[in-house]
Amino acid sequence: MYEKKDLRILKIIQKAREFGDSDLLNENLVEILINSKINSLNQSDKNEFIKILNSIVEIKEKAHLSK
């Protein structure tokens, strides 16, 4: 009957719509990102990964503001 949905995924998609972020509107992509395991990374790699993601977000925001 009804398909169970992960509430976290729905919240992310809702926020993506609010902020006009079309990259995170793909439910399958968001599910893969949430369910992926990055625990095997050491702390240094995790910190580097976080820096990269933050840089991408900053660049996207600057590009969006410059329109």
Side-chain angles (χ1 to χ4, degrees):
M1 266 195 209
Y2 293 103
E3 180 182 346
K4 283 189 170 182
K5 302 247 181 181
D6 189 334
L7 187 58
R8 298 174 297 171
I9 295 170
L10 298 176
K11 285 183 178 182
I12 290 171
I13 292 172
Q14 179 183 4
K15 288 295 180 187
R17 281 191 191 109
E18 288 177 20
F19 290 106
D21 188 343
S22 59
D23 295 334
L24 292 176
L25 290 178
N26 184 326
E27 187 174 335
N28 291 328
L29 174 64
V30 173
E31 182 177 6
I32 290 168
L33 290 171
I34 285 178
N35 293 327
S36 64
K37 298 200 184 287
I38 60 169
N39 293 337
S40 61
L41 297 176
N42 63 35
Q43 191 60 41
S44 173
D45 289 342
K46 285 181 185 179
N47 289 339
E48 189 64 28
F49 185 67
I50 290 169
K51 285 180 189 177
I52 292 169
L53 289 177
N54 285 334
S55 295
I56 292 171
V57 170
E58 288 175 13
I59 291 168
K60 189 170 183 174
E61 287 174 355
K62 288 178 183 177
H64 186 67
L65 292 174
S66 67
K67 287 183 180 180

PDB file of all heavy atoms in Angstrom, residues 10-28:
ATOM      1  N   LEU A  10      13.045  13.328   3.439  1.00  0.00           N
ATOM      2  CA  LEU A  10      11.969  14.256   3.105  1.00  0.00           C
ATOM      3  C   LEU A  10      12.264  15.668   3.610  1.00  0.00           C
ATOM      4  O   LEU A  10      11.978  16.655   2.938  1.00  0.00           O
ATOM      5  CB  LEU A  10      10.644  13.741   3.667  1.00  0.00           C
ATOM      6  CG  LEU A  10      10.182  12.393   3.104  1.00  0.00           C
ATOM      7  CD1 LEU A  10       8.920  11.935   3.809  1.00  0.00           C
ATOM      8  CD2 LEU A  10       9.986  12.454   1.606  1.00  0.00           C
ATOM      9  N   LYS A  11      12.870  15.760   4.808  1.00  0.00           N
ATOM     10  CA  LYS A  11      13.215  17.079   5.358  1.00  0.00           C
ATOM     11  C   LYS A  11      14.294  17.758   4.515  1.00  0.00           C
ATOM     12  O   LYS A  11      14.226  18.964   4.264  1.00  0.00           O
ATOM     13  CB  LYS A  11      13.682  16.949   6.806  1.00  0.00           C
ATOM     14  CG  LYS A  11      12.557  16.692   7.775  1.00  0.00           C
ATOM     15  CD  LYS A  11      13.068  16.642   9.201  1.00  0.00           C
ATOM     16  CE  LYS A  11      11.937  16.442  10.191  1.00  0.00           C
ATOM     17  NZ  LYS A  11      12.420  16.434  11.574  1.00  0.00           N
ATOM     18  N   ILE A  12      15.280  16.982   4.084  1.00  0.00           N
ATOM     19  CA  ILE A  12      16.346  17.553   3.247  1.00  0.00           C
ATOM     20  C   ILE A  12      15.778  18.048   1.930  1.00  0.00           C
ATOM     21  O   ILE A  12      16.097  19.145   1.470  1.00  0.00           O
ATOM     22  CB  ILE A  12      17.466  16.511   3.023  1.00  0.00           C
ATOM     23  CG1 ILE A  12      18.220  16.279   4.332  1.00  0.00           C
ATOM     24  CG2 ILE A  12      18.411  16.961   1.910  1.00  0.00           C
ATOM     25  CD1 ILE A  12      19.191  15.129   4.297  1.00  0.00           C
ATOM     26  N   ILE A  13      14.906  17.255   1.323  1.00  0.00           N
ATOM     27  CA  ILE A  13      14.293  17.652   0.058  1.00  0.00           C
ATOM     28  C   ILE A  13      13.428  18.897   0.244  1.00  0.00           C
ATOM     29  O   ILE A  13      13.430  19.805  -0.583  1.00  0.00           O
ATOM     30  CB  ILE A  13      13.492  16.479  -0.543  1.00  0.00           C
ATOM     31  CG1 ILE A  13      14.461  15.369  -0.970  1.00  0.00           C
ATOM     32  CG2 ILE A  13      12.623  16.931  -1.701  1.00  0.00           C
ATOM     33  CD1 ILE A  13      13.794  14.091  -1.392  1.00  0.00           C
ATOM     34  N   GLN A  14      12.704  18.966   1.357  1.00  0.00           N
ATOM     35  CA  GLN A  14      11.877  20.139   1.644  1.00  0.00           C
ATOM     36  C   GLN A  14      12.751  21.389   1.772  1.00  0.00           C
ATOM     37  O   GLN A  14      12.441  22.431   1.203  1.00  0.00           O
ATOM     38  CB  GLN A  14      11.087  19.922   2.928  1.00  0.00           C
ATOM     39  CG  GLN A  14      10.229  21.113   3.311  1.00  0.00           C
ATOM     40  CD  GLN A  14       9.514  20.905   4.638  1.00  0.00           C
ATOM     41  OE1 GLN A  14       9.710  19.908   5.322  1.00  0.00           O
ATOM     42  NE2 GLN A  14       8.691  21.854   5.013  1.00  0.00           N
ATOM     43  N   LYS A  15      13.859  21.277   2.502  1.00  0.00           N
ATOM     44  CA  LYS A  15      14.765  22.416   2.655  1.00  0.00           C
ATOM     45  C   LYS A  15      15.399  22.791   1.319  1.00  0.00           C
ATOM     46  O   LYS A  15      15.593  23.966   1.022  1.00  0.00           O
ATOM     47  CB  LYS A  15      15.867  22.116   3.684  1.00  0.00           C
ATOM     48  CG  LYS A  15      15.370  22.099   5.098  1.00  0.00           C
ATOM     49  CD  LYS A  15      14.877  23.481   5.504  1.00  0.00           C
ATOM     50  CE  LYS A  15      14.378  23.470   6.927  1.00  0.00           C
ATOM     51  NZ  LYS A  15      13.757  24.723   7.303  1.00  0.00           N
ATOM     52  N   ALA A  16      15.713  21.782   0.509  1.00  0.00           N
ATOM     53  CA  ALA A  16      16.287  22.052  -0.808  1.00  0.00           C
ATOM     54  C   ALA A  16      15.311  22.859  -1.661  1.00  0.00           C
ATOM     55  O   ALA A  16      15.709  23.790  -2.365  1.00  0.00           O
ATOM     56  CB  ALA A  16      16.649  20.743  -1.502  1.00  0.00           C
ATOM     57  N   ARG A  17      14.036  22.520  -1.577  1.00  0.00           N
ATOM     58  CA  ARG A  17      13.019  23.290  -2.308  1.00  0.00           C
ATOM     59  C   ARG A  17      12.939  24.723  -1.789  1.00  0.00           C
ATOM     60  O   ARG A  17      12.855  25.673  -2.560  1.00  0.00           O
ATOM     61  CB  ARG A  17      11.657  22.624  -2.181  1.00  0.00           C
ATOM     62  CG  ARG A  17      11.467  21.460  -3.077  1.00  0.00           C
ATOM     63  CD  ARG A  17      10.017  20.994  -3.112  1.00  0.00           C
ATOM     64  NE  ARG A  17       9.940  19.717  -3.799  1.00  0.00           N
ATOM     65  CZ  ARG A  17       9.682  18.568  -3.202  1.00  0.00           C
ATOM     66  NH1 ARG A  17       9.417  18.521  -1.914  1.00  0.00           N
ATOM     67  NH2 ARG A  17       9.653  17.449  -3.887  1.00  0.00           N
ATOM     68  N   GLU A  18      12.966  24.864  -0.460  1.00  0.00           N
ATOM     69  CA  GLU A  18      12.885  26.200   0.150  1.00  0.00           C
ATOM     70  C   GLU A  18      14.034  27.085  -0.289  1.00  0.00           C
ATOM     71  O   GLU A  18      13.854  28.272  -0.515  1.00  0.00           O
ATOM     72  CB  GLU A  18      12.878  26.080   1.676  1.00  0.00           C
ATOM     73  CG  GLU A  18      11.600  25.548   2.263  1.00  0.00           C
ATOM     74  CD  GLU A  18      11.674  25.368   3.776  1.00  0.00           C
ATOM     75  OE1 GLU A  18      12.543  25.987   4.416  1.00  0.00           O
ATOM     76  OE2 GLU A  18      10.860  24.593   4.318  1.00  0.00           O
ATOM     77  N   PHE A  19      15.229  26.499  -0.386  1.00  0.00           N
ATOM     78  CA  PHE A  19      16.408  27.280  -0.732  1.00  0.00           C
ATOM     79  C   PHE A  19      16.728  27.242  -2.221  1.00  0.00           C
ATOM     80  O   PHE A  19      17.722  27.810  -2.660  1.00  0.00           O
ATOM     81  CB  PHE A  19      17.620  26.781   0.071  1.00  0.00           C
ATOM     82  CG  PHE A  19      17.524  27.111   1.534  1.00  0.00           C
ATOM     83  CD1 PHE A  19      17.242  26.123   2.458  1.00  0.00           C
ATOM     84  CD2 PHE A  19      17.687  28.405   1.982  1.00  0.00           C
ATOM     85  CE1 PHE A  19      17.136  26.411   3.812  1.00  0.00           C
ATOM     86  CE2 PHE A  19      17.587  28.717   3.324  1.00  0.00           C
ATOM     87  CZ  PHE A  19      17.314  27.720   4.245  1.00  0.00           C
ATOM     88  N   GLY A  20      15.885  26.581  -3.000  1.00  0.00           N
ATOM     89  CA  GLY A  20      16.080  26.534  -4.449  1.00  0.00           C
ATOM     90  C   GLY A  20      17.309  25.738  -4.857  1.00  0.00           C
ATOM     91  O   GLY A  20      17.926  26.035  -5.870  1.00  0.00           O
ATOM     92  N   ASP A  21      17.663  24.737  -4.080  1.00  0.00           N
ATOM     93  CA  ASP A  21      18.834  23.913  -4.371  1.00  0.00           C
ATOM     94  C   ASP A  21      18.392  22.675  -5.139  1.00  0.00           C
ATOM     95  O   ASP A  21      17.950  21.686  -4.563  1.00  0.00           O
ATOM     96  CB  ASP A  21      19.532  23.506  -3.073  1.00  0.00           C
ATOM     97  CG  ASP A  21      20.853  22.810  -3.306  1.00  0.00           C
ATOM     98  OD1 ASP A  21      21.094  22.348  -4.442  1.00  0.00           O
ATOM     99  OD2 ASP A  21      21.646  22.725  -2.363  1.00  0.00           O
ATOM    100  N   SER A  22      18.519  22.730  -6.447  1.00  0.00           N
ATOM    101  CA  SER A  22      18.028  21.632  -7.281  1.00  0.00           C
ATOM    102  C   SER A  22      18.892  20.381  -7.176  1.00  0.00           C
ATOM    103  O   SER A  22      18.447  19.288  -7.518  1.00  0.00           O
ATOM    104  CB  SER A  22      17.957  22.081  -8.740  1.00  0.00           C
ATOM    105  OG  SER A  22      19.239  22.487  -9.184  1.00  0.00           O
ATOM    106  N   ASP A  23      20.123  20.508  -6.672  1.00  0.00           N
ATOM    107  CA  ASP A  23      21.001  19.344  -6.553  1.00  0.00           C
ATOM    108  C   ASP A  23      20.478  18.334  -5.543  1.00  0.00           C
ATOM    109  O   ASP A  23      20.700  17.136  -5.687  1.00  0.00           O
ATOM    110  CB  ASP A  23      22.412  19.761  -6.135  1.00  0.00           C
ATOM    111  CG  ASP A  23      23.095  20.604  -7.195  1.00  0.00           C
ATOM    112  OD1 ASP A  23      22.732  20.456  -8.381  1.00  0.00           O
ATOM    113  OD2 ASP A  23      23.975  21.389  -6.842  1.00  0.00           O
ATOM    114  N   LEU A  24      19.797  18.798  -4.514  1.00  0.00           N
ATOM    115  CA  LEU A  24      19.327  17.907  -3.459  1.00  0.00           C
ATOM    116  C   LEU A  24      17.848  17.550  -3.585  1.00  0.00           C
ATOM    117  O   LEU A  24      17.243  17.073  -2.640  1.00  0.00           O
ATOM    118  CB  LEU A  24      19.597  18.523  -2.084  1.00  0.00           C
ATOM    119  CG  LEU A  24      21.065  18.624  -1.703  1.00  0.00           C
ATOM    120  CD1 LEU A  24      21.220  19.340  -0.369  1.00  0.00           C
ATOM    121  CD2 LEU A  24      21.702  17.248  -1.630  1.00  0.00           C
ATOM    122  N   LEU A  25      17.276  17.746  -4.750  1.00  0.00           N
ATOM    123  CA  LEU A  25      15.874  17.383  -4.954  1.00  0.00           C
ATOM    124  C   LEU A  25      15.716  15.928  -5.389  1.00  0.00           C
ATOM    125  O   LEU A  25      14.607  15.412  -5.405  1.00  0.00           O
ATOM    126  CB  LEU A  25      15.228  18.298  -5.991  1.00  0.00           C
ATOM    127  CG  LEU A  25      15.023  19.739  -5.540  1.00  0.00           C
ATOM    128  CD1 LEU A  25      14.431  20.565  -6.668  1.00  0.00           C
ATOM    129  CD2 LEU A  25      14.154  19.807  -4.301  1.00  0.00           C
ATOM    130  N   ASN A  26      16.804  15.278  -5.708  1.00  0.00           N
ATOM    131  CA  ASN A  26      16.767  13.886  -6.131  1.00  0.00           C
ATOM    132  C   ASN A  26      16.721  12.992  -4.897  1.00  0.00           C
ATOM    133  O   ASN A  26      17.694  12.862  -4.164  1.00  0.00           O
ATOM    134  CB  ASN A  26      17.999  13.574  -6.978  1.00  0.00           C
ATOM    135  CG  ASN A  26      17.979  12.174  -7.535  1.00  0.00           C
ATOM    136  OD1 ASN A  26      17.492  11.245  -6.905  1.00  0.00           O
ATOM    137  ND2 ASN A  26      18.511  12.026  -8.736  1.00  0.00           N
ATOM    138  N   GLU A  27      15.576  12.375  -4.674  1.00  0.00           N
ATOM    139  CA  GLU A  27      15.368  11.566  -3.468  1.00  0.00           C
ATOM    140  C   GLU A  27      16.340  10.392  -3.391  1.00  0.00           C
ATOM    141  O   GLU A  27      16.855  10.066  -2.321  1.00  0.00           O
ATOM    142  CB  GLU A  27      13.927  11.064  -3.433  1.00  0.00           C
ATOM    143  CG  GLU A  27      13.558  10.369  -2.155  1.00  0.00           C
ATOM    144  CD  GLU A  27      12.077  10.017  -2.079  1.00  0.00           C
ATOM    145  OE1 GLU A  27      11.268  10.691  -2.742  1.00  0.00           O
ATOM    146  OE2 GLU A  27      11.759   9.064  -1.357  1.00  0.00           O
ATOM    147  N   ASN A  28      16.609   9.755  -4.528  1.00  0.00           N
ATOM    148  CA  ASN A  28      17.535   8.621  -4.529  1.00  0.00           C
ATOM    149  C   ASN A  28      18.954   9.053  -4.159  1.00  0.00           C
ATOM    150  O   ASN A  28      19.643   8.367  -3.406  1.00  0.00           O
ATOM    151  CB  ASN A  28      17.541   7.925  -5.894  1.00  0.00           C
ATOM    152  CG  ASN A  28      16.243   7.214  -6.179  1.00  0.00           C
ATOM    153  OD1 ASN A  28      15.584   6.729  -5.268  1.00  0.00           O
ATOM    154  ND2 ASN A  28      15.866   7.162  -7.440  1.00  0.00           N
TER     155      ASN A  28
END
